[in-house]
Amino acid sequence: MNSPLYIEVAVPFPVYNTYIYKVSEQYADLIAPGVRVFVPFGSKRTTGYVLGFANKKEFKGKILSILDMLDAKPIFPKSMLPFFRWASDYYIYPIGEVIKTALPKKIDFYEQTFFSITDAGKKFIKNNKNLSTKKKILNALIKKDLTIKGLQAKSGASVPASLLYSMEKQGFLEKYSEIKGKSSFKRKIQKDRLGEKIIRDVPYPLTKEQTDVVEHINASLFNGFKTFLLAGVTGSGKTEVYMNIAARVIEKGLSVILLVPEISLMSQVERRFKARFGETVAVLHSSLAAGEKYFEWMKILNKKAKIAIGARSALFAPFDNLGAVIVDEEHDTSYKDSGGFGYNAKDLASVRAKLANAIALLGSATPSVASYYNVISSKYTGLYLKERVKKRALPNVEIIDMRKKRDLKGINKFITPELKLAIADNLKLKKQTLLFLNRRGFANLSICAQCASPLRCKQCDISLTLHQKDNVYRCHLCGYFQSANAVCNVCGNRSIKKLGFGTEKIEAVISKLFPNAKTIRIDKDATKKKGSLVTLLKRIKNKKADIIIGTQMIAKGHDFPDITLVGIICADISLNFPDFRAGEQTFQLLAQVAGRAGRGDLKGRVILQTFNPAHFAILSAKEQDFIKFYNQDIVFRKGLNYPPFSRLIQIKIESKNKEKAAKTAYSIGKLCKNLMKKTAKDSIEILGPVESPIAKIASMFRWQILVKGTNSSTLRLFANKLFFDNQKAFKVSGVKATIDVDPIFMM
Ligand code: ADP
Ligand code: ZN
């Protein structure tokens, strides 16, 4: 008998170690990195992920045996392990949980190997009188096919996998695999977002600008790691560039990951990739059912797919031969996971590419400040598409100074005479108009007419928004609602003033102003019902809508060639957020929305209403000029030593108990300051603890500490030491204290 085998296993629990287990002989031949095992863990039993083989000498104490093997073959390639370890280390998140996040959710399905007896096997039983292990095994298979585990139970013998394989060679039995799971799953036929069949397309001949970009990238393909930032104005043909690069990579026998922002339906980019590359595309989207996702995952693992497309988590597609990782709309904040892992798929894209010796290609019309800074500091290579395809003109943006409109009354307050006229003109031309307002509901500020108290959510520190159609006041953070007939919580007065406005109000106003126009609204409220978004998008496509009113839901991912007028109702909503990225996010959103106009053959027009007509975020959005925006924003970032000049981690402290939240925040704050004084006086800065800008969400009181470091490695060392040396301070009962590395949502 061989000496026993030991493996290193990660478990999906909040523990930062990996564990060693013994593997009994019957699994020895099949066990490999990337296979899931079932293991005893404390008083529980759990799924674990095999990371590799281990040397027993390095471990003291009793080593337990695995209880079962859940996969006959690895469910991710071994080559991904350094990537998982890197992510676990950087985001201070347990590696078992990292792997769990990476794998398709609810992966209750697994492949099992079954053994069946052959005619030769049956003959063997007849011809052999004495009851050898071989005969016991074959006897057990007479009634039905069994797995190794089943054989173990039924045959009454110890069944080493090696014996089974030698019996297979002798022709006594055969093996096959089958997918087992809690529920069966069906495969859906790939259709596009409007339920229409996707027709194969062929590449366009590239424009001169596109050719230059593609040639530049090609010179570096298959030549080691490099990150490119492709900055191309809206409609400049970035997608065509991605497809061209992807084609070259798969021609070479390598594979591609394409990340797209999280949206409710398949985006235009995904549809076009499907049309170009057909069945070699696997889609890993959060909207897929668990079974579908598993199917797509296996398609990649079994090398049936060469391209994986999806939001954030598609970065974990189990390829072991990556040639390129492409990130579309790289500025989009949906690449940042807001859960416990907190990874940023855009940043990790470069890491994954680096570990795979591949290229990373980040593209956007409005690149993030951080990415362009990396171009300036020669970490990335900048590539540019300055013109729209077919020399289509960028839309003409007219700024309306709302400060001069203060004395306008009623409807004119949101739909200025200029905008009204523009809509009327566009209606006459039978073209579509898009009205953008990044706030839903009817009135977002409701104030008691007597005591002036705003109506507030009972569980959150924000005011409620009136939703007139549903006749409720609703909290946009936790979903709490109360009847719109409610009285003031403070003084009991019945009369409530409804101030502010959202998309629902704009819709009501527009229907009054243009009673003959076909108007639709696209926001979270209007698309709650399953299938309603598809219906609305179809109506736009089939020109059954003249005026579309929407939130950022329509600013992302969909292409409407017949929109020639875009009206931005209020450009200032996100500008005054207490966040150093407020300007950046406002610029990106406005430039993207404005870029929706005139994507077809007719020139577009944009009316942008703002109270800050001279703000550089507004002015650069008007010109769709991200470099102009960058050059001003970077000065402000430098002055305050914000990223990209520093790195941040945020420690978030939450509790239902107000005192506990504050107390824990102060105790961790003190530890931070002490550690900073001891080890990193010049390279670390501690801001806080302070109450978060939104001090309460869903009944949780919220505090935060911001740690600024001069660079990523000092900050990581600091955070690691702080966290691992002070576990007690982070694990107070009834308090959630978490570390967010490179935070984006800082409210
Ligand atoms: P972006 O991704 O930069 O917004 P797209 O790739 O969507 O731009 O291109 C804009 C439009 O131009 C699309 O309708 C696309 O099909 C078309 N297009 C792109 N490249 C070419 C080309 N070389 N020749 C003709 N049409 C093109
Ligand atoms: Zn709430």
Side-chain angles (χ1 to χ4, degrees), residues 204-207 210 232-242 269 272 328 385 389-390 392 559 599:
Y204 293 102
L206 297 182
T207 64
Q210 284 171 326
V233 294
T234 51
S236 60
K238 294 183 290 294
T239 311
E240 201 61 42
V241 170
Y242 304 154
V269 174
R272 281 166 61 186
D328 187 31
L385 292 172
V389 170
K390 297 189 186 152
R392 281 175 188 140
D559 211 13
R599 289 175 69 95

Side-chain angles (χ1 to χ4, degrees), residues 271-305:
R271 200 192 66 82
R272 281 166 61 186
F273 262 75
K274 277 256 162 193
R276 183 71 52 87
F277 298 103
E279 277 303 305
T280 63
V281 174
V283 177
L284 292 168
H285 226 293
S286 57
S287 62
L288 295 182
E292 290 176 297
K293 218 167 180 180
Y294 179 80
F295 186 96
E296 299 289 300
W297 184 271
M298 293 320 265
K299 201 168 137 184
I300 297 168
L301 205 55
N302 297 330
K303 301 201 156 48
K304 298 258 159 38

Side-chain angles (χ1 to χ4, degrees), residues 109-143:
F109 313 97
Y110 47 86
E111 214 165 316
Q112 270 190 333
T113 304
F114 283 85
F115 293 89
S116 63
I117 187 164
T118 60
D119 288 343
K122 285 176 189 156
K123 239 182 225 158
F124 180 90
I125 295 180
K126 246 198 224 153
N127 298 343
N128 285 270
K129 291 271 148 6
N130 70 2
L131 199 60
S132 61
T133 306
K134 270 188 198 173
K135 189 163 170 181
K136 281 184 194 166
I137 290 170
L138 292 170
N139 274 337
L141 289 174
I142 292 279
K143 263 202 193 134

Side-chain angles (χ1 to χ4, degrees), residues 388 392-393 560-564 596-603:
R388 280 187 163 178
R392 281 175 188 140
F560 309 115
D562 285 301
I563 291 176
T564 47
R596 300 285 122 191
R599 289 175 69 95
D601 288 326
L602 280 166
K603 187 174 158 110

